[in-house]
Amino acid sequence: MSAQLLQLICFYAFAAVAGISALMVITLRNSVHAVLSLVLTFFSVACIWLLAQAEFLAIALIVVYVGAVMVLFLFVVMMLDINLERMREGFIKFLPVGIVVAAVMLVEMLALIGVRAMHVMTMGPDPAAAAGMSNTAWLGQALYTRFLLPFEIAALILTVGLIAAVVLTLRHKPLTRRQNPGDQVRVSNRDRVRVVKMAAERPQESES
Amino acid sequence: MLSWNDILILLPEIYLVAAVCVLLLMDVFIREEQRNATHWLAIAITAITGFLVVTGQPPQGLSAFGGMFVRDRVSEILSLFALISVLLVFVFSRPYLKDRKLWHGEFYVLTLFAVLGVMFLVSAGSLITIYLGLELLTLSSYALVAFNRDSRMSSEAAIKYFVLGALASGSLLYGMSMVYGATGTLDLAHLHATVAQTDMPNLLRFGLIFMIVGIAFKLGAAPFHMWLPDVYQGAPTATVTFVASASKLAAFGMAYRLLSAFGPGDLLHQWQLMLAILAVLSLVIGNLVAIVQTNIKRLLAYSTIAHMGYLLLGLVNASPSGYAAAMFYAISYALMSTVAFGVIMAMSRAGFECEEIDDFKGLNERSRWMAFLMMLAMFSLAGVPPLFGFFAKLLILKAAVDAGMMWLAIVAIVAAIVGLYYYLRVVKVMYFDKPVEGVEIKPQGDLPMRWMLSLNALALLALGLYWGPLFTWCQQAFAG
């Protein structure tokens, strides 16, 4: 079997896994299973990117989405039901699905390593290789030169997301007890100590 | 790569970003009682950006950042009118927001970010800039729709808008990816040049269809209009005024930038046909469903759908004169809807939303001037001469006839006559019905708002009488 054919087979296999698992994200009724399918989707897409020699994007997808965002999602979904007994139950219950997802990922990784070991480069033109740079260096250079404007607009979108999140969730309820650092700093000795003038009187005899 | 020239071309946008950041920081440090400073600073920022857009203009089209950003007359006019409508939104909404305890600095910050998105969108030279400009605009809009977070209606509207908006963005992005796959370019000018020679015409066609779905959603054209009535009804009226004015200008700009890249040739006829179908559906659904509405914000939402139908008729023509007519229509719609929603905001007060058509009963007896302004807006929306809306409709019909689509023009005329009924109903209720007992409606609002509202409404009359210069300006934009 030629290396190119193997690469093609891998591409279609990864694409099929990505498509099927994406479908499962919206069809599965169990939300933990759905999140696990989404992890598999991201992982398969990352595999396709690795096939296309886009190493940085693939690693970023794994590290950021699978590693951070999806794990957070998983925690949130699991925490929605705070019953601890059921959570322990769930751990065992979700184990088979987790193992299936992990097994598919392992197969994908092995296939990928097999293809990459053959050094085929056939998935379209590779501007990074043409420029004699690594993919990451090329991407960084493109982002800060040719794609500077979109990069900056994307930064603005993140800013808007941040502001929107604060606007929609920050609440100052009068009943909640909270510290006000501004008031704490601005406090003067008059607020803390009150000198009261009163007539002198003898202390009461203590009952001994 | 980044040259001094690029910065000069983008000066209005760069100024706006810097100024909004200053506004955001300033608002954090001022006290509640000093919020007026934020208000006036936001208005000043909008005005200065508008001034920079008009003055810093090279006469012919110029592109910056390797064609990512195009500054031409089209972007100049659309940006300018988007900024004008945002200015109107700021002036109109202060008393409304104050009454509802929504008067926070973030309203100004988010609205200005949204208008920045509009400016990027209408000046986009590449598919990436279009997508990012759109996201900047819509993300700010979602937050603005949900701004009244204690209201269930507002949150429901925001969730609907967000979910459907995400779907539409996904569709647009999917279409773009197909177009990129078929042509290998993201640059719109390059796409225009190479679109005829693609060896994958079917992929390109699929991409085009998905992109048109995205555009139709953003315009609010039927059958992608489902979000519009709920958003108009549920969102704070101040936000609706923005969504109905500046956002529509942006949607027109996006449609023009994207669609004009797919012509001339085989694909041109295909998108013309698709837009014609969208236009007919919007005209019919918008005008017919509006008749049975009892809530004036919902009524105006369905009227928006119908108006987007007219706007699409101008785009169907796909010639400079058709685009000019559509742009003229978008501008007229933006200025008309600010008046209509401005009057609604002026009539509302704390604890009372003047939303039902019945609330307008006998308005003439309570406030002759407000009734007159609302009448101007309604007549202009209906297309009664000699108001602004009439000439906008006339030019659109002319464009449709010129495109050889007589049947479309006839549908549009019939739809306009049907539409006249529900606009006139509002006028009839205001002038001939007795006020409902117990509903004490009195125009609220501060002095700047009333003056600006009057000015805005009288502009409809003035631009109806002297529409020539503005239309010539629009024509020049597409002539080059």
Side-chain angles (χ1 to χ4, degrees):
Chain A
M1 200 192 302
S2 78
Q4 285 189 13
L5 186 64
L6 185 65
Q7 190 190 30
L8 206 62
I9 290 171
C10 278
F11 170 77
Y12 281 115
F14 294 156
V17 172
I20 291 166
S21 55
L23 209 62
M24 273 156 62
V25 175
I26 54 169
T27 50
L28 288 179
R29 295 192 72 83
N30 187 324
S31 41
V32 175
H33 292 176
V35 174
L36 286 173
S37 311
L38 195 55
V39 169
L40 189 58
T41 313
F42 282 140
F43 190 81
S44 306
V45 173
C47 286
I48 293 177
W49 272 344
L50 267 182
L51 267 187
Q53 265 99 38
E55 290 92 1
F56 178 76
L57 287 177
I59 299 299
L61 189 69
I62 302 266
V63 170
V64 176
Y65 278 88
V66 180
V69 176
M70 293 323 294
V71 170
L72 196 69
F73 262 39
L74 212 52
F75 276 137
V76 169
V77 168
M78 285 176 155
M79 290 291 167
L80 285 179
D81 211 3
I82 318 177
N83 191 338
L84 268 177
E85 277 305 306
R86 288 197 48 198
M87 266 193 49
R88 269 190 213 116
E89 235 173 74
F91 193 74
I92 305 296
K93 202 169 70 192
F94 299 133
L95 197 59
V97 184
I99 288 174
V100 170
V101 169
V104 175
M105 281 183 177
L106 185 69
V107 172
E108 284 186 332
M109 261 196 281
L110 290 174
L112 199 61
I113 291 166
V115 172
R116 289 299 293 260
M118 294 182 191
H119 299 292
V120 278
M121 301 215 176
T122 48
M123 284 187 77
D126 186 353
M133 282 189 265
S134 77
N135 178 269
T136 312
W138 182 81
L139 203 64
Q141 206 160 68
L143 268 186
Y144 283 96
T145 53
R146 246 184 87 195
F147 295 95
L148 181 64
L149 181 68
F151 186 73
E152 293 298 330
I153 302 176
L156 289 176
I157 292 174
L158 291 181
T159 314
V160 168
L162 193 70
I163 296 170
V166 171
V167 167
L168 296 182
T169 54
L170 184 68
R171 277 165 198 272
H172 290 300
K173 280 185 188 157
L175 288 176
T176 47
R177 289 157 189 249
R178 59 194 164 83
Q179 283 187 314
N180 188 340
D183 284 353
Q184 287 178 331
V185 170
R186 256 181 268 124
V187 76
S188 66
N189 49 7
R190 253 175 224 189
D191 303 329
R192 290 271 162 86
V193 181
R194 194 158 56 101
V195 180
V196 187
K197 208 165 197 167
M198 59 188 291
E201 58 184 91
R202 269 181 69 192
Q204 301 260 310
E205 298 261 328
S206 60
E207 306 152 31
S208 55
Chain B
M1 294 269 205
L2 180 68
S3 69
W4 186 236
N5 199 29
D6 288 351
I7 291 178
L8 276 184
I9 292 172
L10 253 83
L11 195 62
E13 282 79 7
I14 294 173
Y15 166 75
L16 188 54
V17 173
V20 175
C21 292
V22 170
L23 186 72
L24 179 65
L25 283 180
M26 192 199 83
D27 186 68
V28 174
F29 289 105
I30 62 168
R31 282 198 299 277
E32 194 75 23
E33 310 87 72
Q34 299 165 319
R35 183 112 317 137
N36 269 325
T38 312
H39 177 75
W40 291 112
L41 185 62
I43 286 177
I45 289 170
T46 318
I48 293 171
T49 314
F51 177 75
L52 289 175
V53 166
V54 177
T55 53
Q57 273 312 300
Q60 71 278 22
L62 269 184
S63 63
F65 290 96
M68 294 270 176
F69 188 93
V70 181
R71 171 76 77 209
D72 55 10
R73 283 247 183 263
V74 179
S75 80
E76 173 192 326
I77 294 174
L78 287 173
S79 301
L80 180 65
F81 279 96
L83 286 163
I84 288 175
S85 44
V86 163
L87 195 77
L88 293 171
V89 169
F90 285 161
V91 175
F92 293 172
S93 57
R94 183 170 60 159
Y96 178 90
L97 293 171
K98 246 186 205 168
D99 282 349
R100 278 155 196 75
K101 302 199 171 33
L102 294 175
W103 197 38
H104 308 306
E106 289 85 1
F107 178 79
Y108 297 97
V109 172
L110 286 171
T111 310
L112 286 174
F113 269 124
V115 79
L116 184 68
V118 174
M119 287 167 78
F120 279 123
L121 194 52
V122 299
S123 335
S126 142
L127 293 177
I128 298 184
T129 325
I130 286 201
Y131 180 71
L132 289 172
L134 182 69
E135 283 305 295
L136 188 57
L137 165 63
T138 48
L139 199 62
S140 315
S141 305
Y142 302 144
L144 285 171
V145 168
F147 207 71
N148 189 1
R149 57 190 183 182
D150 295 324
S151 146
R152 286 178 66 114
M153 291 272 278
S154 179
S155 312
E156 185 195 325
I159 287 288
K160 275 184 185 160
Y161 191 22
F162 179 68
V163 172
L164 290 173
L167 206 64
S169 290
S171 164
L172 185 73
L173 206 55
Y174 193 39
M176 284 176 177
S177 73
M178 288 190 196
V179 169
Y180 179 64
T183 59
T185 178
L186 289 169
D187 189 71
L188 287 171
H190 194 228
L191 188 66
H192 182 76
T194 54
V195 83
Q197 296 124 31
T198 176
D199 46 356
M200 283 180 271
N202 277 331
L203 190 62
L204 202 58
R205 210 165 290 145
F206 266 113
L208 181 63
I209 291 170
F210 279 106
M211 273 162 48
I212 285 178
V213 170
I215 293 169
F217 178 87
K218 293 299 166 196
L219 279 170
F224 305 101
H225 64 283
M226 298 303 181
W227 58 279
L228 229 136
D230 292 325
V231 168
Y232 274 42
Q233 192 185 2
T237 312
T239 307
V240 180
T241 317
F242 174 80
V243 173
S245 54
S247 286
K248 298 300 172 213
L249 290 168
F252 163 74
M254 175 173 96
Y256 163 69
R257 294 279 179 212
L258 280 178
L259 294 175
S260 61
F262 288 93
D266 197 24
L267 282 166
L268 176 74
H269 299 296
Q270 283 166 349
W271 70 252
Q272 273 181 318
L273 188 65
M274 285 186 252
L275 287 198
I277 294 167
L278 287 174
V280 170
L281 282 175
S282 306
L283 286 170
V284 172
I285 292 177
N287 278 318
L288 286 184
V289 183
I291 292 175
V292 296
Q293 300 303 320
T294 56
N295 180 308
I296 192 147
K297 280 163 85 180
R298 275 189 99 80
L299 182 136
L300 286 170
Y302 282 103
S303 119
T304 301
I305 297 167
H307 282 284
M308 290 307 117
Y310 292 110
L311 197 150
L312 285 169
L313 286 189
L315 284 170
V316 164
N317 185 302
S319 68
S321 66
Y323 293 140
M327 182 150 92
F328 189 73
Y329 201 86
I331 293 169
S332 81
Y333 180 71
L335 290 181
M336 293 188 288
S337 60
T338 47
V339 178
F341 287 109
V343 172
I344 294 175
M345 277 198 276
M347 303 311 301
S348 307
R349 58 171 187 273
F352 171 68
E353 296 282 336
C354 190
E355 288 195 342
E356 298 300 319
I357 295 177
D358 286 353
D359 295 340
F360 282 83
K361 273 187 180 169
L363 183 62
N364 188 40
E365 287 177 25
R366 314 238 188 214
S367 164
R368 284 181 186 283
W369 187 240
M370 279 296 158
F372 175 69
L373 297 184
M374 193 61 169
M375 186 184 74
L376 278 183
M378 286 296 141
F379 277 163
S380 186
L381 283 166
V384 174
L387 290 160
F388 198 14
F390 170 72
F391 292 100
K393 273 204 175 61
L394 192 70
L395 293 166
I396 285 286
L397 291 175
K398 187 173 166 297
V401 172
D402 286 348
M405 300 206 175
M406 199 52 162
W407 61 279
L408 268 180
I410 291 169
V411 170
I413 290 169
V414 172
I417 293 167
V418 173
L420 199 59
Y421 168 76
Y422 59 83
Y423 293 122
L424 283 182
R425 188 161 59 117
V426 176
V427 175
K428 175 224 154 205
V429 158
M430 287 193 302
Y431 278 88
F432 299 107
D433 283 8
K434 285 267 159 285
V436 181
E437 289 302 316
V439 180
E440 190 66 40
I441 40 170
K442 217 169 67 199
Q444 311 282 311
D446 47 16
L447 213 55
M449 174 197 186
R450 291 198 205 174
W451 274 102
M452 211 60 180
L453 191 57
S454 311
L455 200 67
N456 189 187
L458 292 177
L460 296 183
L461 193 61
L463 285 167
L465 295 172
Y466 302 100
W467 54 278
L470 182 59
F471 186 62
T472 317
W473 204 22
C474 290
Q475 273 180 320
Q476 278 169 357
F478 294 99

